[in-house]
Amino acid sequence: MPGMEWSATTLVDIVLCVTIAEALALWAYHRRTGKGIPTRDLLGNLVSGLMLMAALRAHMAAGPWELTAVLLAASGIAHATDT
């Protein structure tokens, strides 16, 4: 769209929303059909990625460094517990 400029934080917000919508769609599909990826198998990877994106957004929005560190740590923990 001509003349429309989005900030980098807005783009990260859009990616976060799309990722959450995708996860909900995968959950609903699996619940209705029994096919696809079970939510339990997707959760660790999903949370890890969401926390990474949230850390990126916090840093880009000049949030406190402690918030970025906590989000990165949460991402690492989620990734480590993903089986």
Side-chain angles (χ1 to χ4, degrees), residues 6-47:
W6 292 352
S7 70
T9 54
T10 300
L11 292 174
V12 174
D13 289 340
I14 291 168
V15 172
L16 281 164
C17 289
V18 169
T19 302
I20 292 168
E22 179 185 18
L24 290 172
L26 288 170
W27 169 77
Y29 176 75
H30 180 70
R31 185 173 170 93
R32 286 183 177 216
T33 66
K35 298 178 183 177
I37 302 170
T39 307
R40 187 177 14 236
D41 294 344
L42 182 65
L43 201 55
N45 193 15
L46 178 67
V47 170

Side-chain angles (χ1 to χ4, degrees), residues 51-52 55 67-77:
M51 291 298 104
L52 277 175
L67 175 61
T68 302
V70 166
L71 291 167
L72 287 172
S75 176
I77 292 167

